[in-house]
Structure formats: structure tokens, C-alpha cells
């Protein structure tokens, strides 16, 4: 991407983390395009040997390496060396096309009373892409050490935001609704679950199923963190000092 010199006009950076690429787009206040750049994972980061940005393993497991996302965001060794693969309890995470958690999604659905009851609680029925199903699969099929060393669970968008801000960033409510564990504030059944409908909340019943007990369910709740229910109407944070010093972002952005 060509260097964009400061002229006093505000510019806006958008990042899209797709399965096969990381794309950066800059627009001005009139939404006119200023520049676009992308990193194609297969060709520009061939050391990960992905195809379409994913690994294909036996058992319908489709995963992608987290380390590759970090290199795509900042190819320098400075950022990458602080987040080596061994720091993540799962260095390769499921993609949207992964179906290896399908039976676990059905287990959750059954325990909640079927597809209609599940949808009335968390807005969706069984799907292998649900974080709830993927976490249940980790607990039941991966070595216990993987579950034990987990301290945070984030969707890709929140993880990317955390890298940019230099701190943990919570997921938005739209993202929380895709996990299969969140009850939206507009859900008319919220009162039946013992909660106020004024704002959304994590469904303790689903958390307990995922964790296997009330204690572990509360632990999963801690991994997920708080959810931003403002609809994007508040300032979530600033660009990290590292990115300010390395790439010239204005402090306090």
C-alpha cells in the first residue's frame, strides 16, 4: 500500500480477516477509497502450507493457524515473537467450514430440549460452527491439559481487535449471538431464564453443559468475558503504543 501522507483529513482503516486472506482498506470521510492491501495466506505465507487458508484433517476438521493471522497483520518478528504458537491452547482453530463438532452441537441441542427450545433460548439451533459446540468437543476429545491451560476464548474479530489495541477486547453482541451461549436482550424468554430482558446475558444452562459442571460453566463464562451491547456506539479503545511507534498512527486514536 502506498504511503498516505497526513493532510488533516480523517482517514478510516477497516480490516477484514477472511479464511484465505487479511485485507486492509482505507477510506476518507466521504467514504472514497484511498487504498487497499491484502495478504494472501497461501502464497505470501507459504510456510504454513494452507490451502485456501485452511488445513484439512481426517474427520471433517478444517482449521487455520492463529500464528498465520498475526504474521498477516504484522510480518515483522517484533509482534510475532511475542505470540508464538505454543502460547495458545489450540494453535490451530476451527473455521466456518469445520463440521467436526456436529455431534457435540446435537448433544447441546438435545439437552436443551430440542431445536425449538434451543432456538428460543439462544437464537439458534444446533450448528457445528457454534463456539459452544467447539468448546464441548475440546473438553471431551482433546487432552485435559488443553482445557486446563485455557484462559480466554475469543472470536477472530475480537482477537484481531485485541492485537490492535494491545489489550483484551470483548466481543460485540452480534458475535456473542453466534456462539450458541448468549441470550439476546430482546429475547422474550429471558424472564423465564431468571434474567432481566433489559440486556443480554450468557446462558448459564448452556455454559454448564459446555463445562460439564456448574463450576466449569462459570470458568467458561470467565473465558468469554463481557459483551459490548452498545451496538458499536462507544469507543472501545485506542491503537496500541507498539503500532503507534512502528507505523505512525496518531496517539489516542
Amino acid at each position: 500500500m502506498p504511503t498516505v501522507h497526513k493532510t488533516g483529513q480523517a482517514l478510516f482503516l477497516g480490516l477484514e480477516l477472511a479464511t484465505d486472506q487479511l485485507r486492509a482498506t482505507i477510506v476518507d470521510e466521504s467514504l472514497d477509497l484511498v487504498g487497499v492491501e491484502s495478504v494472501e495466506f497461501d502464497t505470501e505465507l507459504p510456510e504454513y502450507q494452507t490451502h485456501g487458508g485452511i488445513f484439512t484433517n481426517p474427520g471433517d476438521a478444517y482449521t487455520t493457524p492463529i500464528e498465520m493471522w498475526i504474521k498477516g497483520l504484522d510480518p515483522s518478528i517484533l509482534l510475532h515473537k511475542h505470540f508464538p504458537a505454543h502460547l495458545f491452547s489450540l494453535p490451530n482453530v476451527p473455521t466456518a467450514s469445520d463440521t467436526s463438532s456436529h455431534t457435540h452441537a446435537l448433544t447441546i441441542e438435545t439437552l436443551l430440549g430440542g431445536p425449538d427450545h434451543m432456538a428460543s433460548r439462544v437464537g439458534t439451533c444446533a450448528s457445528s460452527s457454534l463456539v459452544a459446540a467447539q468448546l464441548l468437543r475440546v473438553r471431551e476429545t482433546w487432552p485435559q491439559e488443553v482445557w486446563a491451560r485455557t484462559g480466554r476464548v475469543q472470536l477472530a474479530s475480537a482477537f484481531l481487535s485485541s492485537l490492535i489495541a494491545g489489550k483484551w477486547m470483548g466481543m460485540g453482541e452480534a458475535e456473542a449471538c453466534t456462539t450458541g451461549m448468549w441470550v439476546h436482550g430482546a429475547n422474550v424468554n429471558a424472564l423465564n431464564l431468571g434474567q432481566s430482558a433489559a440486556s443480554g446475558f450468557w446462558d448459564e444452562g448452556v455454559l454448564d453443559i459446555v463445562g460439564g459442571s456448574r463450576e466449569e460453566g462459570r470458568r467458561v463464562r470467565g473465558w468469554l468475558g463481557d459483551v459490548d451491547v452498545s451496538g458499536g456506539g462507544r469507543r472501545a479503545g485506542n491503537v496500541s503504543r507498539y503500532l503507534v511507534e512502528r507505523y505512525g498512527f496518531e496517539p489516542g486514536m
Side-chain angles (χ1 to χ4, degrees):
M1 183 182 295
T3 301
V4 178
H5 299 285
K6 296 178 182 177
T7 61
Q9 184 181 33
L11 299 175
F12 301 87
L13 171 65
L15 295 172
E16 177 192 4
L17 179 57
T19 303
D20 61 341
Q21 65 175 289
L22 176 62
R23 179 184 294 270
T25 304
I26 296 177
V27 298
D28 62 19
E29 291 178 294
S30 300
L31 300 183
D32 290 329
L33 185 64
V34 175
V36 177
E37 186 62 86
S38 63
V39 176
E40 299 284 344
F41 295 139
D42 292 0
T43 57
E44 298 183 58
L45 296 172
E47 62 269 31
Y48 293 100
Q49 300 180 330
T50 58
H51 297 279
I54 63 176
F55 297 132
T56 303
N57 301 312
D60 298 320
Y62 294 84
T63 63
T64 191
I66 300 175
E67 190 178 67
M68 184 175 70
W69 296 347
I70 301 172
K71 277 193 176 181
L73 179 65
D74 181 4
S76 75
I77 193 66
L78 295 177
L79 183 61
H80 175 245
K81 74 176 182 179
H82 291 297
F83 299 98
H86 72 266
L87 289 183
F88 301 98
S89 52
L90 285 182
N92 303 321
V93 294
T95 66
S97 56
D98 179 80
T99 59
S100 61
S101 300
H102 181 63
T103 57
H104 300 85
L106 292 176
T107 295
I108 295 172
E109 183 180 84
T110 299
L111 291 172
L112 291 178
D116 291 340
H117 283 86
M118 180 175 179
S120 70
R121 288 179 66 146
V122 295
T124 183
C125 54
S127 169
S128 56
S129 64
L130 296 177
V131 176
Q134 294 166 356
L135 285 175
L136 181 58
R137 178 173 182 266
V138 169
R139 182 173 66 81
E140 292 188 342
T141 66
W142 283 77
Q144 196 275 334
E145 173 193 355
V146 173
W147 183 269
R149 69 190 295 257
T150 298
R152 188 82 180 191
V153 172
Q154 286 191 302
L155 273 68
S157 52
F159 175 70
L160 187 62
S161 298
S162 298
L163 289 177
I164 293 170
K167 66 175 185 178
W168 289 120
M169 301 291 286
M171 66 182 80
E173 189 163 30
E175 298 165 310
C177 287
T178 69
T179 66
M181 295 177 280
W182 180 259
V183 179
H184 193 277
N187 190 331
V188 295
N189 294 304
L191 292 177
N192 295 331
L193 298 173
Q195 298 283 344
S196 168
S199 61
F201 55 92
W202 295 112
D203 189 313
E204 290 185 355
V206 182
L207 295 175
D208 293 350
I209 292 171
V210 171
S213 68
R214 174 53 58 89
E215 180 181 359
E216 286 300 302
R218 289 173 176 168
R219 188 160 170 248
V220 173
R221 166 65 181 83
W223 294 349
L224 296 166
D226 295 330
V227 174
D228 180 3
V229 296
S230 69
R234 70 177 182 85
R235 188 187 187 99
N238 300 323
V239 175
S240 70
R241 189 175 74 174
Y242 167 78
L243 293 179
V244 168
E245 294 176 351
R246 178 163 177 78
Y247 293 108
F249 288 98
E250 292 187 18
M253 285 185 58

